[in-house]
């Protein structure tokens, strides 16, 4: 599968960066697959070790680093490297968070290209020592490429720039593919199953396997108490999103539970990418939580499709799509009079509200309330995401859901 993240990897290689590359992202996003595909395509040879699966290797590196050896010396000894073999070689250190001493000392290793893979983000001061890239589930444009419809991507981007509607027959084809994407999602294993079986019937089982792998990571890397709370948070998200008011409520876990009690677990889940958090504008303790992949949420909703679950799927899709973009800050807005704006995009000092449509029609009353409350100028524009074709007015840009990936 062609991944957009490959551009970051090739840039790192072309710059001949002396610092290691760190590929992060939650379980199931295809980090290992991408790393090996990159190494195979761009280097004559690569060496690989997985510290989660190979506990003996993890112990070897821990012992070496703690006894005073450098990361360079430990890597050279473990792989029995000789100088003659170093040309054109890259080393892949998978799940390096299972070997903390090596992770911390790796930033001083620059004698050959190193790619580290971790489901957990290191501390901020460590992050600055790596060339970092966070891998997310496949966006809709990557999904189109994976299923053999890559020619749609350039066409969508072109119409996004002009706001000219695409031919109706193509618009309907894209909406049908988008509906498939809402079920399959962007986890590579689920997409592979969809491609190979030419159906969505088995993807739910793949999503269940990925969720179980996430649980395993939590149970093996988190403190026991924090692990229990983290699992509770993940398990309750689909039920929370079924409600009309989709703000996360801790008392849905059990009566008397507070934000302060779960704050650390929630932070760890966010850092690992196992949940996506959307804060209410100007209310940091009011927020919504989403799953990292819309397909996983769709499987959690299986057999219980309502208007609210439909809204939740569309919100989750938009959240995971826009989260990839690091050029703006995301939030949502609600008024005391119950006007609701699902997303507000803030970048370069300018806020752009987003209206989500689950059907055609409507007058956008919540957007009007937002514009009044924020004293928006007449020329200030907003986005409307929906199932209608591209079009625009003096203040509104209608963007079909399948084109949300174009927003940068």
């Amino acid at each position: 599968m062609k991944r957009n993240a490959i551009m970051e990897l090739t840039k790192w290689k072309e710059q001949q960066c002396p610092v290691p590359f760190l590929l992060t992202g939650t379980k199931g996003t295809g980090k290992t697959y991408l790393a090996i595909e990159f190494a195979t395509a761009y280097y004559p040879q690569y060496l690989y070790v997985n510290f989660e699966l190979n506990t003996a290797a993890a112990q070897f590196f821990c012992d070496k680093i703690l006894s005073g050896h450098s990361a360079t010396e430990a890597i050279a000894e473990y792989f029995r490297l000789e100088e003659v073999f170093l040309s054109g070689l890259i080393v892949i250190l998978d799940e390096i968070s299972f070997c903390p001493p090596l992770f911390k000392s790796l930033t001083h290793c620059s004698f050959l290209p190193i790619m580290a893979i971790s489901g957990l983000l290191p501390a901020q001061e460590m992050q600055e020592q790596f060339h970092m890239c966070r891998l997310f589930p496949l966006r809709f444009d990557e999904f189109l490429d994976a299923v053999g419809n890559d020619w749609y991507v350039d066409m969508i981007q072109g119409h996004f720039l002009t706001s000219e509607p695409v031919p109706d027959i193509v618009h309907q084809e894209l909406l049908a593919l988008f509906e498939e994407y809402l079920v399959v999602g962007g986890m590579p294993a689920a997409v592979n199953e969809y491609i190979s079986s030419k159906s969505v019937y088995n993807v739910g089982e793949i999503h269940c396997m990925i969720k179980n792998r996430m649980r395993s990571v939590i149970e093996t890397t988190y403190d026991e108490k924090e692990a229990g709370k983290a699992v509770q948070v993940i398990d309750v998200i689909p039920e929370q999103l079924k409600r009309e008011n989709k703000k996360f409520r801790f008392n849905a876990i059990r009566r008397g539970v507070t934000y302060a009690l779960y704050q650390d677990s929630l932070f760890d889940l966010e850092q690992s990418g196992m949940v996506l958090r959307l804060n209410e504008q100007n209310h940091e303790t009011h927020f919504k939580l989403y799953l990292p992949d819309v397909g996983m949420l769709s499987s959690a909703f299986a057999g219980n499709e309502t208007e609210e679950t439909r809204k939740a799927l569309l919100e989750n899709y938009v959240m995971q799509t826009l989260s990839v973009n690091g050029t703006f800050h995301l939030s949502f807005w609600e008024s005391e009079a119950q006007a609701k704006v699902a997303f507000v995009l803030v970048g370069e000092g300018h806020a752009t509200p987003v209206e989500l449509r689950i059907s055609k029609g409507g007058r956008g009353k919540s957007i009007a309330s937002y514009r009044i409350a924020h004293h928006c100028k007449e020329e200030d524009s907003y986005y409307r995401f929906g199932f209608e074709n591209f079009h625009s007015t003096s203040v509104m840009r209608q963007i079909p859901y399948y084109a949300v990936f174009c927003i940068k």
Side-chain angles (χ1 to χ4, degrees):
M1 296 178 187
K2 182 181 177 183
R3 303 302 304 270
N4 296 332
I6 198 71
M7 297 177 65
E8 280 296 315
L9 285 162
T10 54
K11 180 168 68 174
W12 170 72
K13 182 182 186 301
E14 290 168 358
Q15 292 175 343
Q16 296 183 330
C17 240
V19 300
F21 192 100
L22 178 60
L23 187 61
T24 69
T26 190
K27 279 288 187 183
T29 52
K31 301 184 297 297
T32 301
Y33 181 86
L34 175 62
I36 292 177
E37 283 288 296
F38 169 74
T40 303
Y42 289 91
Y43 291 87
Q45 54 186 332
Y46 71 89
L47 298 172
Y48 174 88
V49 61
N50 184 311
F51 293 114
E52 180 183 13
L53 302 178
N54 191 338
T55 55
Q59 189 62 54
F60 171 89
F61 278 95
C62 284
D63 291 343
K64 289 295 178 182
I65 300 299
L66 294 177
S67 64
H69 289 73
S70 68
T72 299
E73 293 168 336
I75 291 172
E77 183 175 345
Y78 180 81
F79 288 109
R80 300 178 183 178
L81 295 177
E82 298 179 16
E83 189 173 349
V84 67
F85 295 118
L86 297 185
S87 179
L89 174 69
I90 184 171
V91 175
I92 301 173
L93 305 174
D94 203 349
E95 295 296 353
I96 194 170
S97 60
F98 284 81
C99 187
L102 177 61
F103 203 174
K104 292 178 181 178
S105 63
L106 190 61
T107 55
H108 305 293
C109 178
S110 60
F111 78 113
L112 80 169
I114 301 285
M115 186 188 305
I117 303 172
S118 175
L120 302 176
L121 279 176
Q124 184 63 42
E125 58 271 18
M126 281 183 62
Q127 292 181 34
E128 297 171 358
Q129 305 301 316
F130 290 93
H131 187 116
M132 281 187 54
C133 177
R134 191 166 188 176
L135 195 62
F136 294 86
L138 277 74
R139 297 190 315 186
F140 185 63
D141 56 323
E142 294 175 296
F143 175 81
L144 288 174
D145 188 274
V147 300
N149 289 306
D150 54 304
W151 71 274
Y152 280 129
V153 177
D154 288 339
M155 185 207 64
I156 293 170
Q157 291 172 329
H159 284 271
F160 173 81
L161 292 174
T162 64
S163 289
E164 292 293 323
V166 303
D168 187 62
I169 188 171
V170 177
H171 177 65
Q172 297 304 323
E173 290 170 354
L174 285 167
L175 288 179
L177 285 165
F178 173 70
E179 293 294 342
E180 296 282 273
Y181 179 78
L182 288 181
V183 176
V184 177
M187 291 299 194
V191 176
N192 272 332
E193 172 59 32
Y194 170 74
I195 293 170
S196 61
S197 66
K198 297 181 174 59
S199 76
V200 299
Y201 297 126
N202 297 323
V203 296
E205 187 65 24
I206 302 297
H207 292 146
C208 183
M209 292 170 58
I210 294 171
K211 182 179 178 181
N212 288 336
R213 290 174 64 195
M214 289 181 178
R215 278 176 171 268
S216 177
V217 170
I218 291 171
E219 291 167 356
T220 55
T221 59
Y222 289 30
D223 171 83
E224 185 175 352
K225 290 184 179 179
E226 296 303 323
K229 289 185 283 188
V231 169
Q232 289 175 335
V233 169
I234 291 178
D235 285 348
V236 82
I237 288 175
E239 290 299 321
Q240 296 271 302
L241 293 176
K242 286 179 183 178
R243 300 166 51 245
E244 181 179 359
N245 183 349
K246 294 176 171 42
K247 289 181 186 177
F248 192 85
R249 297 187 308 169
F250 285 96
N251 62 9
I253 297 175
R254 68 175 186 272
R255 190 180 299 275
V257 167
T258 63
Y259 172 75
L261 185 62
Y262 279 73
Q263 188 173 5
D264 291 341
S265 298
L266 183 56
F267 176 79
D268 290 338
L269 288 172
E270 289 180 73
Q271 290 295 296
S272 68
M274 293 187 199
V275 302
L276 303 176
R277 173 171 170 166
L278 182 69
N279 289 327
E280 184 175 359
Q281 201 174 64
N282 303 321
H283 292 281
E284 291 295 311
T285 58
H286 295 177
F287 54 88
K288 301 177 186 179
L289 293 182
Y290 301 96
L291 295 183
D293 176 63
V294 67
M296 295 179 67
L297 184 62
S298 181
S299 292
F301 285 156
N304 188 10
E305 297 178 4
T306 65
E307 181 176 315
E308 292 306 326
T309 60
R310 178 71 167 170
K311 288 180 181 177
L313 288 176
L314 294 172
E315 285 189 25
N316 207 115
Y317 161 75
V318 172
M319 181 65 185
Q320 75 181 72
T321 303
L322 296 181
S323 293
V324 179
N325 191 322
T327 59
F328 45 71
H329 173 74
L330 295 173
S331 63
F332 70 95
W333 175 82
E334 293 184 1
S335 73
E336 294 181 0
Q338 298 302 305
K340 298 179 180 180
V341 173
F343 293 92
V344 179
L345 282 55
V346 180
E348 298 181 353
H350 180 72
T352 304
V354 176
E355 177 187 3
L356 298 191
R357 292 286 185 91
I358 64 170
S359 60
K360 294 183 179 180
R363 297 178 56 188
K365 293 181 180 179
S366 289
I367 288 290
S369 298
Y370 175 91
R371 290 172 65 82
I372 292 171
H374 291 79
H375 309 290
C376 295
K377 300 176 183 178
E378 286 188 16
E379 64 271 19
D380 289 341
S381 61
Y382 68 92
Y383 288 122
R384 175 188 292 163
F385 298 163
F387 295 94
E388 299 176 45
N389 212 325
F390 288 101
H391 69 270
S392 62
T393 68
S394 58
V395 295
M396 183 273 296
R397 288 195 65 188
Q398 159 66 30
I399 309 296
Y401 279 115
Y402 57 72
V404 174
F405 72 87
C406 295
I407 296 175
K408 295 180 172 60

